[in-house]
Amino acid sequence: MTVPGRPLLWLQGHIRGRLSLRAMLSVLMIAGVASILVLTASYFALRAHERMRLYAGLDELASAVEGSASAAAFALDSTLATQVAQGLLANPAVARVSIRSGDTLLADIQRPGLLAGEALGNPRFRELPSPFDPDEIIGSLEILPLESHVQQTAAAAARLLAVLLALELLVAAAAVGWVVFTRITAPIAFLAQHVDRVRLETASLIWPPAGNEHDEIGQLTRDLNLMIARNRGLLLDERALREDIEASERKFRLIFENAETGIFTLDAQLRLLSWNPALQRTFGAEALALAGHPPSLAALLACPESLLTLSKQTDQEGGAASADFEIAGQTGRHVHIVLTRTNTQTLLGVCNDVSERKQAEARAQALAERDPLTGLYNRRGFHYRAGLAMARVSPAQGVAVLMLDLDGFKALNDTLGHEAGDEALRRVARLLEGCVRKNDLLARLGGDEFVVLLDGLREPQPAQQIAEKILHAIATFQESDVDGVQLGASIGIAMSFDPGEHIDALMHRADQAMYGVKRSGKHSWRFASGQ
Amino acid sequence: MPVANLPLLLLASALLLLASGATQAQELVVIAHPASGLVQLSNAEARHLFLGRYKRLPAGTTAHPIDTTQLKERFYARLVGKPLAEIDAYWARLVFSGNTRPPEQLPDSAAVVRRVEQTPGAVGYVTRDAVSPHVRIVLALEATP
């Protein structure tokens, strides 16, 4: 960009941006072009017209002097004829005058000072009638126009008129431009300026330009104000909304960061999208790091499939589901997870460490089900599990119940004391555990009474074998005892292949058999009658 | 033709003659000096003489037309067929700007006759009854123009 070009570009830009200037310039340009066209066309037209007019003028001149010329021709008076000719020459458009009477030249005068070769027009010829008889032609009058003068005069007149016309046009254009400027573009420019200055925050309105209150511009102003007010309202609403959102955000962040409960979100593949510090503390930073990027929550649990099951539950049961899970690699540490489906792709969850509760539960469970002394199931625990086993009874596979009563326990207790008695019971419990199979049910019913339930039996033999084993074991135990207190066992065995039989009935039968053993010498086993 | 009307006829003729005689007495005639060389003038020639077109008589002598003021209007009305005002206007132009002079103005026929008797080249117009034997009638204008 050259230096001379810069101001021009600035000017261009300035003009383009100002509506009023543009309007004015357009009007002036159009007027200018029109003026030039008008000037040119009218000049030529006017000039031709003026020429015609001047020639007609000459003819009129000739008419005016015809009387005198005729008189001169009639009287053959060259003096009068000369006078007439001189009079005609006073008109600057006349170059030469000739008056004849018949063929006699009475006067022939040329304008003095004519340059050689000066343009002379076509002669205006007129016949002179007799003053006393219009039908008799007695002479002629000839006027030679000075073409150069005619042309100049015509041109001058034409120029003047053309210029006036053009000026008139320009003035009209300027008037139009002025009106447009003051009535239309100025108010609009005023409005544009004010709109530019309006700040939405302040309650400012635009006043209509003076004089335009009741026309379209006034209406535009009112509409603009309406729009501004509406926008202001929207802006304020949005601000308030945003502030509410930010406050909520802050609240949420507080809760998220500071809660003791683990809060997290999962994607469709059950990977952690986000989690709070509490969750990190629960599982441990290293475990989370090792679980992948993003970490898979299922991988952090001992039983990953169970999480999938839970997530599926959220689809069915109104969007939320919860369950307890054991943490992978840390037995005894349990978490309670509640999952909520927020949309098809994500789940929201909370996670609480429930290890203590779980332990308490286990303890309570144990308390309910186990004998505190020996650790074996107690009556309740046995009853519950025996009931489950009884439900599996079929004519093909039955159960056997061994009711066991220790022989000589009372004597031991009385002799050695309760503590020794408790110890003996404990040792017996261990022995019994060693005799039964892994899945067999062993319980201490109370005092020195024990019971064993064997299921999945097709025949009595296993029951017998186990009874023998028990007797043998107890006898062995007996051998190691220093104080020489004799312990034995009376075992009553009852079997059932009847799915309808209740455990109580079965136990009763075994019990009866056991009593039979007790009465008849002890330290033996006997089948219930009818087995 | 019935013979009984003959006296009526004779009377009518006599009256006609008398009337013509009376009219004849008022008839305008153009007179000239006997030695002017003029014998007979046509109407056109008379016009040209009295209106300044001809400035010489055929013989070559300078023409000296004379207007009879008393008869002027009648004369030009009959000779040219134009009112006196036009004739005066015509002469006014020539007198003002030109070289041609109007005819000498004499008051009545008697004066004109005396002038024509004395001036060769003089031409004037008088009523017929004013004509003297010393002038020659060269043109007689019709009674009614």
Side-chain angles (χ1 to χ4, degrees), chain B residues 32-37 57 61-64 115-123:
Chain B
H33 195 275
S36 64
L57 295 177
T61 44
T62 310
H64 186 88
R115 172 70 71 181
V116 172
E117 283 172 352
Q118 290 159 15
T119 316
V123 181

Side-chain angles (χ1 to χ4, degrees), chain A residues 359-376:
Chain A
Q359 282 167 16
E361 273 176 12
R363 279 198 294 274
Q365 184 91 345
L367 214 63
E369 286 187 333
R370 296 246 174 205
D371 171 41
L373 181 67
T374 58
L376 300 177

Side-chain angles (χ1 to χ4, degrees), chain A residues 144-368:
Chain A
L144 216 67
L146 186 58
E147 187 63 31
S148 56
H149 175 264
V150 169
Q151 275 180 354
Q152 278 169 18
T153 313
R159 262 198 300 277
L160 177 65
L161 278 170
V163 165
L164 284 175
L165 262 173
L167 267 175
E168 195 184 315
L169 202 63
L170 277 169
V171 166
V176 167
W178 175 249
V179 166
V180 166
F181 174 72
T182 52
R183 291 239 170 272
I184 297 172
T185 52
I188 291 176
F190 171 88
L191 261 183
Q193 263 187 321
H194 275 69
V195 170
D196 195 43
R197 287 204 220 111
V198 161
R199 291 276 160 267
L200 278 181
E201 296 86 10
T202 64
S204 60
L205 289 177
I206 312 172
W207 286 111
N212 290 106
E213 291 89 350
H214 301 292
D215 62 14
E216 290 89 339
I217 289 184
Q219 184 59 41
L220 178 65
T221 314
R222 281 189 287 281
D223 291 340
L224 275 170
N225 284 331
L226 251 166
M227 204 171 69
I228 289 169
R230 212 176 289 134
N231 276 0
R232 189 176 294 127
L234 287 171
L235 186 72
L236 292 173
D237 287 347
E238 201 191 300
R239 284 236 182 96
L241 217 71
R242 205 173 329 126
E243 278 165 13
D244 285 347
I245 290 172
E246 278 169 13
S248 290
E249 280 275 336
R250 281 195 293 274
K251 246 193 289 184
F252 172 73
R253 272 252 88 82
L254 255 167
I255 295 169
F256 191 77
E257 295 296 324
N258 297 307
E260 285 299 319
T261 305
I263 306 171
F264 60 89
T265 52
L266 297 176
D267 64 8
Q269 286 82 38
L270 306 181
R271 295 178 299 186
L272 287 163
L273 290 171
S274 65
W275 63 93
N276 69 344
L279 191 80
Q280 180 134 318
R281 285 196 293 275
T282 305
F283 286 101
E286 302 90 33
L288 275 167
L290 288 170
H293 292 281
S296 165
L297 181 61
L300 291 165
L301 302 173
C303 184
E305 305 83 38
S306 51
L307 186 66
L308 185 64
T309 313
L310 186 68
S311 76
K312 290 213 181 81
Q313 277 181 338
T314 61
D315 293 326
Q316 296 153 11
E317 293 163 19
S322 64
D324 295 341
F325 299 89
E326 192 177 2
I327 296 179
Q330 301 183 43
T331 44
R333 291 225 33 231
H334 287 83
V335 290
H336 179 78
I337 293 179
V338 182
L339 287 181
T340 313
R341 184 160 288 284
T342 51
N343 59 45
T344 50
Q345 294 305 309
T346 52
L347 292 160
L348 174 69
V350 290
C351 169
N352 282 305
D353 191 325
V354 294
S355 311
E356 279 182 22
R357 171 167 64 79
K358 269 284 192 241
Q359 282 167 16
E361 273 176 12
R363 279 198 294 274
Q365 184 91 345
L367 214 63

Side-chain angles (χ1 to χ4, degrees), chain A residues 366-414:
Chain A
L367 214 63
E369 286 187 333
R370 296 246 174 205
D371 171 41
L373 181 67
T374 58
L376 300 177
Y377 284 113
N378 60 12
R379 187 178 288 271
R380 184 181 287 124
F382 174 78
H383 245 100
Y384 175 66
R385 280 167 177 69
L388 295 176
M390 292 301 286
R392 295 194 288 271
V393 165
S394 69
Q397 280 193 328
V399 299
V401 165
L402 280 66
M403 290 294 278
L404 191 152
D405 204 287
L406 286 179
D407 305 328
F409 179 72
K410 202 166 179 307
L412 190 144
N413 219 20
D414 292 340

